[in-house]
Amino acid sequence: QETGINLCVYCNKKGLCGKCFVEIVKGKLQPLNEREAFFIEQKGLAKNHRLACLYKIEGDIEIKIPEESVIQETFILQTGIKSLILINPPVKKYYLKLKKPEIGFPYSLLDLLEKYFRKKKLIIHLDLLKKMPDLLEHSKFFITTTLYNDREILSIEPNDTLSKNFGIAIDVGTTTVVVELLDLNTGKSIDIQTSPNNQIKYGSDVISRISFAFLDLKNLAKLKNSILNTLNEMIRQILERNKIDHSFVYEIVLAGNTSMNHFLLGIPVKTLAVAPFHSVFTRLSELSSHDLGFKISKYGKVYIVPNIKSFVGGDISAGLIAADVGKRKGNYLFIDLGTNGEIVLKTKEKFVTASTAAGPAFEGMNISSGMLALPGAIYKAEYKQRLVLHTIKNKPAIGICGTGLIDLLSVFLDKGIITAKGKIKNKTKKIQITDHIYINQKDVREMQLAIAAIASGIRMVLLKNNLKLEQLDGIFIAGAFGNYLNIKNSKKIGLLPQISEDKIIFIGNASLAGAKVLLLSKPARKKIESLVKKIQYFSLATNPLFQKYFIEALEFKNLEIKKYDLMSK
């Protein structure tokens, strides 16, 4: 890690996930511990492999790092959903020629700008003020001025730079990060880039990372620097690729869950770590890009999409704006399937939200042969006289991602290899899929827990609002995971409820789509600020029925909301 090699230490270096094996080519081969011996046998590795996170270097060694032990580029849906908006960004550029001061009219240089913009008082940074005399003289008073929210000067540039007006939308996920470069004048998407969230090395889920940050403020700094360095490198690459100077990027809009927002800002997570589990902030005014450490325009801005409540963050509020859920008449569920499972119910009268700790199994983590959605990952499986596997980019199969796991569970359930209670019937308690890819009993249990978290959450939210499934007008499935989801298989194992397929709407990376809307539209920001105030938070953990429903949902069966649910309220 210190030399820039990002090993897959999803369990925060506890030796629990078995993802960071390296081959000891030369040097001391330390005795195998129990966990290593287990993983080596399960994965069919040579005896000279060791878990990097547990190995203590006592002298010179030579190692070989398998490709699957390194975090690589993540394949996720990048475009989000199309949202119809009127382009009205907070950042606007103006090309102007100022009238030079005269003896009879000795206006100050700032007066000239205020007069031009018909403002009684403009906000300007001292450094910019110092540069104004020389800049205006050299440009003969022909300048381009960038204003933020019509009141703050972000730049004064010589001559005409109107066409160079850019912003960046960012989706900071627990597992992956997406950066999209946009032209603020036209709303056009110029380029897009994805990367793993390198905080993964400190834990695969937010709970692990909160625990890590809670132990020591130095750990919080590590989390902050990890994500900030990742984002700055992505921004550097995307700008370099498109031959755009960083000084022409004036704003970043960033959508992330509550924990990611706290980590990025370096805000202590004590309030998230202990009951009643609340955040330090919900909504913030625009922040300085320079203060946060982002390498864009020196006086650029960063807008953090507002959190909702507790662990329901800005990624969800951004998704609600992107899907324009508030304008739709009727009853709708919005479900984000990922490491954290968030559910929002919109009824005719109100919004209610809940969060469930689904864990990283949907993204291939904590699964023996699991992996992120990378080339070579099995993302689809079906049975046509034999088991047929489909991999990302048609590469040789090297592991299984979330959607592939759901398909495989459905197939094995149909074939009687797995019982409805999740028990693998054969004696080895292991299902071999290819020579080196398999699912064992622990993997099935991990998926049962993840599915039960989502299914019981849906059931509880509907129950809370006295709604039956047939009263739903639609279910929005957000997240890259949802875009490749097989609806029939998801319903068969109980992940999704028994509802007509035409009512299930895949909306892709709604978090990124919402960030783009907010980057390009000032009115959308007022709208989202108002929306988050309306949303009621429903705590599943404090409801005595949740445990009952969670246990029931552990069984692979169709999720139904029955009459007795409503009566038992």
Side-chain angles (χ1 to χ4, degrees):
Q1 288 178 7
E2 288 175 2
T3 57
I5 299 172
N6 288 317
L7 292 172
C8 299
V9 281
Y10 294 105
C11 61
N12 195 20
K13 306 177 188 176
K14 294 188 173 83
L16 300 176
C17 67
K19 302 286 185 185
C20 66
F21 270 108
V22 296
E23 184 179 356
I24 311 297
V25 179
K26 289 181 182 178
K28 184 178 179 181
L29 199 61
Q30 294 174 353
L32 280 172
N33 67 35
E34 187 179 347
R35 296 299 298 174
E36 286 175 320
F38 170 78
F39 285 126
I40 283 176
E41 182 182 352
Q42 292 287 310
K43 292 173 177 287
L45 298 174
K47 298 292 184 182
N48 65 336
H49 283 72
R50 294 294 183 274
L51 287 173
C53 69
L54 298 181
Y55 189 96
K56 292 183 180 180
I57 297 176
E58 298 173 348
D60 290 344
I61 59 169
E62 181 180 331
I63 64 171
K64 181 179 180 182
I65 306 173
E67 188 178 347
E68 57 267 27
S69 292
V70 180
I71 300 171
Q72 300 178 48
E73 182 182 356
T74 303
F75 180 87
I76 64 170
L77 181 73
Q78 299 171 337
T79 54
I81 65 167
K82 293 180 179 179
S83 302
L84 182 64
I85 59 166
L86 297 175
I87 297 173
N88 182 17
V91 176
K92 292 185 173 70
K93 296 191 81 169
Y94 301 88
Y95 178 55
L96 55 143
K97 182 185 186 301
L98 293 178
K99 185 178 179 180
K100 292 182 181 181
E102 299 174 0
I103 292 178
F105 300 96
Y107 289 106
S108 73
L109 299 180
L110 188 56
D111 283 342
L112 294 175
L113 281 174
E114 289 176 342
K115 186 178 179 183
Y116 180 88
F117 291 114
R118 298 178 184 177
K119 291 286 181 183
K120 291 182 179 179
K121 192 174 183 181
L122 285 171
I123 300 169
I124 186 168
H125 298 269
L126 182 59
D127 281 354
L128 272 178
L129 202 61
K130 290 177 181 177
K131 294 174 183 176
M132 275 185 71
D134 286 345
L135 191 148
L136 288 172
E137 183 182 344
H138 291 148
S139 66
K140 299 180 180 179
F141 282 72
F142 285 92
I143 58 171
T144 302
T145 303
T146 308
L147 282 192
Y148 190 75
N149 280 333
D150 300 319
R151 69 178 186 271
E152 182 176 352
I153 300 172
L154 298 185
S155 73
I156 301 172
E157 297 153 3
N159 305 313
D160 183 357
T161 61
L162 285 179
S163 62
K164 298 174 180 179
N165 186 17
F166 305 102
I168 288 175
I170 300 177
D171 166 41
V172 180
T174 307
T175 308
T176 56
V177 183
V178 189
V179 168
E180 187 163 4
L181 177 66
L182 291 107
D183 185 323
L184 296 182
N185 294 327
T186 64
K188 179 184 175 184
S189 174
I190 297 167
D191 201 355
I192 196 163
Q193 185 157 332
T194 67
S195 171
N197 184 335
N198 284 331
Q199 289 179 342
I200 285 176
K201 59 194 173 190
Y202 302 114
S204 61
D205 55 66
V206 293
I207 304 302
S208 300
R209 293 179 211 173
I210 288 171
S211 300
F212 179 71
F214 187 58
L215 289 173
D216 193 329
L217 282 177
K218 290 180 181 178
N219 292 346
L220 177 62
K222 289 179 182 178
L223 287 164
K224 176 184 176 179
N225 292 334
S226 176
I227 187 60
L228 184 62
N229 291 341
T230 296
L231 292 173
N232 274 329
E233 178 59 19
M234 292 174 75
I235 290 168
R236 185 194 68 77
Q237 290 179 16
I238 205 169
L239 293 179
E240 190 175 276
R241 194 160 59 237
N242 292 279
K243 298 179 180 178
I244 294 171
D245 191 274
H246 71 277
S247 64
F248 295 122
V249 178
Y250 303 101
E251 186 171 31
I252 290 170
V253 171
L254 188 144
N257 65 48
T258 310
S259 304
M260 292 301 111
N261 291 339
H262 281 61
F263 296 148
L264 179 68
L265 300 181
I267 294 175
V269 295
K270 181 179 179 181
T271 61
L272 292 173
V274 297
F277 310 109
H278 60 87
S279 60
V280 173
F281 68 93
T282 299
R283 302 174 301 280
L284 294 173
S285 298
E286 292 85 353
L287 303 169
S288 160
S289 60
H290 180 72
D291 288 349
L292 292 184
F294 280 105
K295 295 178 181 177
I296 60 170
S297 171
K298 184 176 180 181
Y299 308 109
K301 297 292 183 180
V302 177
Y303 180 74
I304 306 292
V305 181
N307 300 318
I308 298 174
K309 294 284 190 306
S310 189
F311 291 105
V312 185
D315 50 345
I316 304 305
S317 57
L320 294 173
I321 286 292
D324 214 0
V325 176
K327 275 192 174 181
R328 298 177 185 271
K329 295 180 180 179
N331 305 312
Y332 286 88
L333 272 179
F334 179 99
I335 305 170
D336 187 271
L337 293 173
T339 308
N340 311 303
E342 291 96 354
I343 301 161
V344 180
L345 174 66
K346 183 261 172 192
T347 67
K348 295 175 183 177
E349 300 85 18
K350 59 184 176 180
F351 281 85
V352 178
T353 186
S355 61
T356 63
F362 286 143
E363 290 170 320
M365 300 301 101
N366 292 352
I367 304 295
S368 303
S369 297
M371 63 182 290
L372 299 176
L374 303 171
I378 298 169
Y379 75 94
K380 179 181 177 183
E382 52 192 335
Y383 195 86
K384 294 181 177 179
Q385 296 182 332
R386 63 181 181 86
L387 187 62
V388 179
L389 306 173
H390 303 266
T391 64
I392 293 174
K393 294 191 177 180
N394 294 317
K395 298 287 185 181
I398 57 173
I400 317 165
C401 65
T403 52
L405 283 166
I406 286 172
D407 285 354
L408 287 167
L409 286 179
S410 177
V411 168
F412 298 147
L413 197 61
D414 268 349
K415 295 297 172 185
I417 298 171
I418 296 175
T419 69
K421 293 189 180 294
K423 184 179 178 181
I424 297 176
K425 286 186 175 180
N426 64 41
K427 292 181 180 179
T428 63
K429 301 301 177 187
K430 180 176 171 183
I431 306 168
Q432 205 70 40
I433 296 162
T434 70
D435 288 345
H436 299 292
I437 299 172
Y438 62 90
I439 293 175
N440 63 22
Q441 189 64 68
K442 175 183 170 294
D443 301 331
V444 177
R445 298 302 185 213
E446 289 282 348
M447 285 297 288
Q448 283 179 282
L449 292 170
I451 291 164
I454 298 294
S456 51
I458 293 171
R459 190 173 177 184
M460 288 292 295
V461 169
L462 290 177
L463 164 63
K464 171 73 174 174
N465 292 276
N466 205 32
L467 281 177
K468 300 176 184 178
L469 281 175
E470 54 265 30
Q471 291 175 284
L472 285 176
D473 296 289
I475 299 178
F476 293 100
I477 306 290
F481 179 89
N483 265 276
Y484 305 99
L485 205 61
N486 182 300
I487 297 176
K488 287 182 180 177
N489 289 343
S490 300
K491 287 161 71 171
K492 189 181 297 177
I493 62 176
L495 175 60
L496 293 180
Q498 296 303 304
I499 189 172
S500 173
E501 286 193 23
D502 60 8
K503 287 187 177 183
I504 296 177
I505 309 150
F506 292 120
I507 56 174
N509 192 339
S511 174
L512 181 66
K516 288 162 59 178
V517 170
L518 294 163
L519 181 65
L520 298 170
S521 171
K522 272 200 302 184
R525 298 192 189 184
K526 292 182 179 179
K527 187 176 176 182
I528 199 169
E529 301 275 347
S530 174
L531 176 64
V532 296
K533 292 177 184 177
K534 296 177 185 176
I535 300 175
Q536 301 173 18
Y537 182 73
F538 175 39
S539 173
L540 301 177
T542 58
N543 194 297
L545 285 175
F546 180 70
Q547 186 175 353
K548 172 181 179 290
Y549 291 160
F550 182 85
I551 291 169
E552 287 181 6
L554 288 170
E555 188 171 339
F556 293 126
K557 61 181 179 181
N558 294 338
L559 171 61
E560 296 179 333
I561 312 301
K562 301 175 182 177
K563 289 182 180 178
Y564 74 79
D565 282 341
L566 305 178
M567 292 168 60
S568 65
K569 181 183 176 184

